[in-house]
Structure formats: structure tokens, C-alpha cells
């Protein structure tokens, strides 16, 4: 990615000369071209980070890729906005005219600039709605739909880059590099975000076979498919599920497997939090299911020690329950499950059985977060050798963050802490 950035900057620099820089508005125009190219390049990179590219996912883990995507996200917006302003200022100076008339001229006369302006508007909308304060107020589905318009924005912006960008107008090599990068990114997105999930869904032909109540507000859905031995999934991973019935087709939701696949059967367990999760209790046997995945780094592949500690908050036990089943022989678990009420503790008997068969220990903490705190002191008391374990945790974000502090407090190195949060 660094190399690509270097080539992109070199493209921008090589299309300038001392003459163009010294001309009226030359510096602003040159900076405008540079910010446009670098901004677009970063945009492609940030798209690739969440394109579900298997090699990247294996190397960095999806959670980390999403974190990088969020961190990188605002930069293309600032840079492309700067590009629009600087180019307008530079062109206005060169024409010895005003900035506003030049902006109007660019949009109405220059080829493809109107489409690029619409693209900039969509980009800014996606940026604003992803801003933490705005995002908290939006439904996930609304935010996601607006985010999808970014693909349209990218397509709208391409033409003006190739027809108007100085670097591309002069050099066929530059044009080939830029188009290659775009086509490469589009190919990765099309194959891994759309093609592969579609192919997998058709291949496995999953259908709901049973829906049962697992606890208060919690539903287990069992699905049957074919050739599930070919679905590469480990205990602790999740898939994005799309139940093919009214109201569920457009949006896929992530749910972890709550058990390892058993022959041709898959199981998920879901707590009703909003429209989608609550509606799963009403799924009818026979409903077709499309899937994307499996994703997630909460698997035994990252274990480096022969002892593990699993910390689960509420329905966060689902991936850990499957992970526990998938632990290699000789890895000894301590499992701590936290729930507000006794009846919210899911899979108690299954957990007790799995823990016992692996020579481990199960601790159940029941009570409100205030009453039953899992701080460093309590952790030391429950798991005196915690610092020597690989730790996996899953639950609501606030809880998981608090546990991370406690784990650091008892000396667990960061690289031995693996977590997944299910949102607020
Ligand atoms: C990796 C992962 C694994 C998960 N595994 C499980 C599980 O095994 N069992 C379980 O009960 N829950 C699980 N969840 C949480 C579950 O995905 C959400 O509770 C569910 O999608 C909420 O949708 P809703 O329409 O019912 O509620 P809403 O009211 O729309 O949302 C409630 C919360 O879920 C978040 N959310 C909504 N839709 C999505 C989405 N498509 N992707 C990510 N977050 C979303 C929202 O931002 C909000 O914080 C998991 C979440 C993630 C990220």
C-alpha cells in the first residue's frame, strides 16, 4: 500500500514542471491534483480493507481491518474536498477571474466534473453519517445504505480523473496504472463481497429447520445445508446471515455460530435487541438462508499458550461456546460467564460438560454490572494464573473494554487478548 502511495505521488509530481508551478494559480492547481490523486488512492485502499479479501483477513483479522478502515476513512474526504477547492482557486487565478464563476464553469462546461461533484456530495454524506455522533442517532440499516452509495460515488468520479487529470492526459502509462488499480479494486470487491457469498449460498443451500426459545428473549435457529464440510469455519467465527423472507432480504446481520457445525447442521443463538434479531423467533422452517463468511479471528488458531481464559457477557457466550468445542486437546480452559439474571445464562449444561471434558473450570457471575464487577482484584481471585493465559472475550462493547483494563491490570499482554464486541 505504501508502494502504491509512492507511485501515486510520483504520478502527480511528474506531471508538474517549474513553469506550471510558477504560472498564476500553478501552485494551487498542483496541490489540487496531488490531493485529488492521494485522496482517491486512499479511498481505494480503505475500500480494499473491508473488501473481505481472504489473505488480508487472515493476516490482520477483520476487526483490525475495520478499525484501520475507520481511521483512514476521513482522510480521502478531506483530501478530495481540498482537491475541489484548490483546483477551483488555481483555475480561477489562471483565468484571472473569480472563484465562484470558475466553480460554475467547471461544473457546467468541463467534461464529467458535474458527475464528480455529485460523487463528492455522496462522499461527504457518507463521511458525516459515519461520524460517531451522527452514527449513534442513525439506524444501522440507514447508515449502511448511505455507505453503499460510495460505490456509485467511486464510479461517478472515475471518468473526470482520466479525462481531466493532467497526469493521465499526458501519459498512457499513468492511465494504465490508474485504471489497473481501479479495476483491481473493483474486481476484489465484486468477487469477495458479492460473487463468493452468492456462490457459497447457492452451493450450501441452507434452510431453517428449527427455531426454539433458548432463554428470555433469546432464540436458537438451526439450519440444514449440504456440503458444510466445505464451508471453512472455525469455532468462534461468525457469518453474515440473510434470511430470505420479507424484511430480511436486503440487510445481512452478523451472528456467531453457537456450536461447531454438526454434519449438515448449523446453529446460531440470537438475543432480541431490535427489529431483525427479534423477528428471528418468527422464522418458519423451510426459509432459505444466504450467508457471507465465515469471518472473525476469535479462533484457536491464535492460541500460543496451553491455557486459555474465556470471558463472556450475556449472549457473548455464543462464539465462545463454539470455540470451547473447537479447542485443541491439551488446552485447558477457565470460562467465566457473566449475566444480569440466572435465567440469562445460556448453555449452562453444555458449557459445564465441555469444560469438564477439557479439564477446565466454569465460573458463573450473576448480577448487575455494578453489583458484580470483574475488575483486576476479582480476576486475580478467580484466575490467579490469568497472566499466563490466552484470553478470549465477547460481549457488549462497554463490558469488553472494562475487562480489557482488568486483564492488563493483572499483567496479560495485549497480544494475548482476543476480543469481539456485539455493539453498544
Ligand atoms: C461479529 C458479530 C457477531 C455477533 N454475533 C451475535 C450472536 O451470536 N448472537 C447475537 O444475539 N448477536 C450477535 N451479534 C449482534 C447482532 O448482530 C446485533 O444484535 C443485530 O444485528 C442487531 O440487529 P437488530 O436489527 O435486531 O437491532 P438494531 O436495533 O438495528 O441494532 C442493535 C445494535 O446492533 C448493531 N447492528 C445492527 N445491525 C447490524 C449489522 N448488520 N452489523 C453489525 N451490527 C449491527 C447496531 O449498531 C446496534 O448497536 C453479533 C455482532 C457482531 C458484530
Amino acid at each position: 500500500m505504501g508502494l502504491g502511495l509512492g507511485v501515486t505521488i510520483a504520478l502527480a509530481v511528474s506531471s508538474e514542471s517549474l513553469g506550471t508551478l510558477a504560472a498564476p494559480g500553478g501552485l494551487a492547481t498542483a496541490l489540487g491534483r496531488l490531493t485529488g490523486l492521494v485522496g482517491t488512492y486512499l479511498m481505494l485502499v480503505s475500500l480494499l480493507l473491508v473488501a473481505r479479501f481472504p489473505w488480508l483477513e487472515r493476516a490482520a483479522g477483520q476487526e483490525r481491518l475495520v478499525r484501520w478502515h475507520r481511521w483512514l476513512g476521513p482522510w480521502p474526504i478531506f483530501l478530495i474536498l481540498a482537491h475541489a477547492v484548490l483546483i477551483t482557486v488555481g483555475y480561477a487565478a489562471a483565468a484571472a477571474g473569480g472563484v465562484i464563476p470558475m466553480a460554475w464553469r467547471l461544473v457546467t462546461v468541463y467534461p464529467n466534473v458535474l458527475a464528480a461533484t455529485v460523487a463528492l456530495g455522496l462522499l461527504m454524506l457518507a463521511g458525516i453519517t459515519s461520524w460517531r455522533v451522527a452514527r449513534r442517532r442513525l439506524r444501522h440499516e440507514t447508515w449502511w445504505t448511505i455507505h453503499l452509495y460510495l460505490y456509485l460515488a467511486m464510479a461517478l468520479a472515475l471518468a473526470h480523473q482520466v479525462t481531466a487529470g493532467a497526469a493521465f492526459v499526458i501519459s498512457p502509462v499513468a492511465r494504465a496504472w490508474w485504471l489497473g488499480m481501479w479495476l483491481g479494486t473493483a474486481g476484489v470487491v465484486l468477487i469477495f463481497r458479492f460473487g463468493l457469498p452468492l456462490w457459497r449460498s447457492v452451493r450450501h443451500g441452507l434452510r431453517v429447520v428449527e427455531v426454539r426459545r433458548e432463554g428470555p428473549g433469546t432464540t436458537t435457529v438451526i439450519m440444514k445445508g449440504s456440503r458444510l464440510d466445505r464451508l471453512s469455519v472455525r469455532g468462534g467465527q461468525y457469518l453474515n446471515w440473510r434470511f430470505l423472507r420479507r424484511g430480511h432480504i436486503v440487510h445481512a446481520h452478523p451472528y456467531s455460530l453457537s456450536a461447531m457445525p454438526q454434519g449438515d447442521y448449523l446453529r446460531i443463538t440470537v438475543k432480541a435487541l431490535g427489529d431483525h434479531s427479534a423477528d428471528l423467533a418468527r422464522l418458519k422452517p423451510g426459509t432459505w438462508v444466504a450467508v457471507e463468511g465465515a469471518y472473525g479471528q476469535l479462533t484457536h488458531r491464535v492460541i500460543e499458550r496451553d491455557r486459555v481464559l474465556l470471558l463472556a457477557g450475556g449472549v457473548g457466550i455464543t462464539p465462545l461456546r463454539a470455540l470451547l468445542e473447537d479447542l485443541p486437546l491439551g488446552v485447558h480452559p477457565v470460562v467465566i460467564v457473566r449475566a444480569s439474571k440466572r435465567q440469562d445464562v445460556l448453555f449452562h449444561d453444555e458449557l459445564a460438560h465441555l469444560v469438564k471434558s477439557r479439564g477446565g473450570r466454569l465460573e458463573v457471575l450473576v448480577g448487575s454490572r455494578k453489583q458484580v464487577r470483574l475488575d483486576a482484584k476479582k480476576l486475580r481471585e478467580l484466575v490467579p494464573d490469568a497472566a499466563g493465559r490466552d484470553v478470549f472475550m465477547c460481549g457488549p462493547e462497554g463490558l469488553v473494554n472494562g475487562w480489557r483494563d482488568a486483564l492488563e491490570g493483572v499483567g496479560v499482554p495485549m497480544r494475548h487478548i482476543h476480543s469481539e464486541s456485539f455493539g453498544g
Side-chain angles (χ1 to χ4, degrees):
M1 286 176 185
L3 196 66
L5 183 62
V7 174
T8 306
I9 292 175
L11 271 184
V13 172
S14 65
S15 65
E16 306 296 342
S17 66
L18 284 180
T20 57
L21 290 178
L27 190 60
T29 305
L31 282 175
R33 287 183 187 134
L34 181 67
T35 48
L37 284 178
V38 173
T40 309
Y41 176 79
L42 294 183
M43 180 97 187
L44 291 178
V45 169
S46 85
L47 208 65
L48 273 180
L49 289 174
V50 288
R52 313 275 197 238
F53 197 31
W55 295 330
L56 261 184
E57 298 241 325
R58 264 198 297 277
Q62 208 203 15
E63 219 177 51
R64 194 181 300 159
L65 291 175
V66 170
R67 227 179 306 133
W68 289 346
H69 170 85
R70 282 193 192 140
W71 179 83
L72 195 61
W75 292 100
I77 304 178
F78 296 143
L79 286 167
I80 293 172
L81 193 61
H83 157 76
V85 172
L86 286 165
I87 288 283
T88 313
V89 169
Y91 278 30
V99 171
I100 305 284
M102 178 49 74
W104 179 248
R105 202 165 161 231
L106 279 170
V107 172
T108 52
V109 178
Y110 279 64
N112 306 313
V113 173
L114 177 60
T117 309
V118 174
L120 177 60
L122 292 173
L123 187 63
M124 289 178 63
L125 185 67
I128 292 167
T129 50
S130 297
W131 181 40
R132 204 181 289 256
V133 179
R135 188 161 170 197
R136 244 186 268 133
R137 284 155 208 260
L138 281 180
R139 291 187 65 219
H140 185 86
E141 285 78 4
T142 314
W143 168 83
W144 182 81
T145 310
I146 293 173
H147 231 65
L148 273 194
Y149 282 116
L150 281 180
Y151 292 115
L152 176 65
M154 301 286 285
L156 285 174
L158 177 63
H160 101 285
Q161 292 167 27
V162 179
T163 53
F168 311 115
V169 174
I170 330 167
S171 158
V173 177
R175 204 160 30 222
W177 155 258
W178 201 246
L179 280 177
M181 224 166 48
W182 273 79
L183 290 177
T185 307
V188 167
V189 170
L190 281 174
I191 293 173
F192 295 107
R193 282 221 81 152
F194 301 102
L196 197 61
L198 186 66
W199 181 72
R200 279 205 182 122
S201 300
V202 172
R203 182 186 204 202
H204 297 300
L206 281 168
R207 295 176 87 154
V208 173
V209 289
E210 190 187 335
V211 179
R212 67 164 185 252
R213 186 177 181 272
E214 195 68 52
T218 313
T219 301
T220 283
V221 181
I222 297 175
M223 287 149 284
K224 185 171 190 285
S226 57
R227 292 192 252 178
L228 291 187
D229 53 320
R230 301 283 185 88
L231 179 72
S232 151
V233 58
R234 298 261 45 109
Q237 289 192 301
Y238 69 93
L239 294 99
N240 289 330
W241 305 85
R242 203 182 295 270
F243 296 93
L244 302 187
R245 67 175 229 150
R246 239 174 100 198
H248 289 254
I249 294 177
V250 178
H251 297 285
H253 284 244
Y255 299 112
S256 314
L257 290 184
S258 59
M260 285 298 287
Q262 306 272 325
D264 280 342
Y265 292 88
L266 295 181
R267 179 178 100 171
I268 58 171
T269 301
V270 175
K271 182 157 180 85
L273 280 186
D275 307 351
H276 188 273
S277 45
D279 205 37
L280 295 196
R282 288 182 282 278
L283 280 178
K284 294 272 177 288
T287 307
W288 290 97
V289 190
V291 287
E292 290 166 39
Y295 305 124
Q297 291 289 89
L298 223 56
T299 72
H300 72 69
R301 288 199 192 109
V302 297
I303 294 177
E304 291 178 3
R305 293 157 158 187
D306 62 357
R307 286 164 294 161
V308 291
L309 169 61
L310 310 188
L311 292 174
V315 75
I317 190 59
T318 48
L320 301 186
R321 152 71 183 75
L323 170 64
L324 188 58
E325 203 180 339
D326 201 24
L327 282 182
L329 285 175
V331 173
H332 301 288
V334 169
V335 180
I336 302 181
V337 176
R338 213 216 74 89
S340 305
K341 299 190 205 105
R342 172 83 37 196
Q343 59 268 38
D344 289 337
V345 178
L346 297 172
F347 312 125
H348 182 275
D349 296 348
E350 292 180 21
L351 289 170
H353 171 74
L354 285 168
V355 164
K356 194 169 163 213
S357 67
R358 281 162 173 75
R361 185 158 51 87
L362 171 65
E363 300 281 350
V364 178
L365 307 177
V366 175
S368 71
R369 285 191 203 180
K370 272 200 187 131
Q371 284 167 334
V372 186
R373 289 173 63 85
L374 189 59
D375 50 16
K377 182 166 166 271
K378 181 79 178 169
L379 203 55
R380 228 175 259 122
E381 199 182 298
L382 288 174
V383 197
D385 63 348
R389 291 177 178 261
D390 272 302
V391 183
F392 293 84
M393 48 182 184
C394 186
E397 199 170 342
L399 201 64
V400 166
N401 289 342
W403 287 345
R404 187 172 289 110
D405 293 344
L407 288 165
E408 281 171 26
V410 300
V412 184
M414 279 291 278
R415 70 187 184 92
H416 289 292
I417 303 177
H418 314 281
S419 67
E420 193 161 85
S421 53
F422 285 180

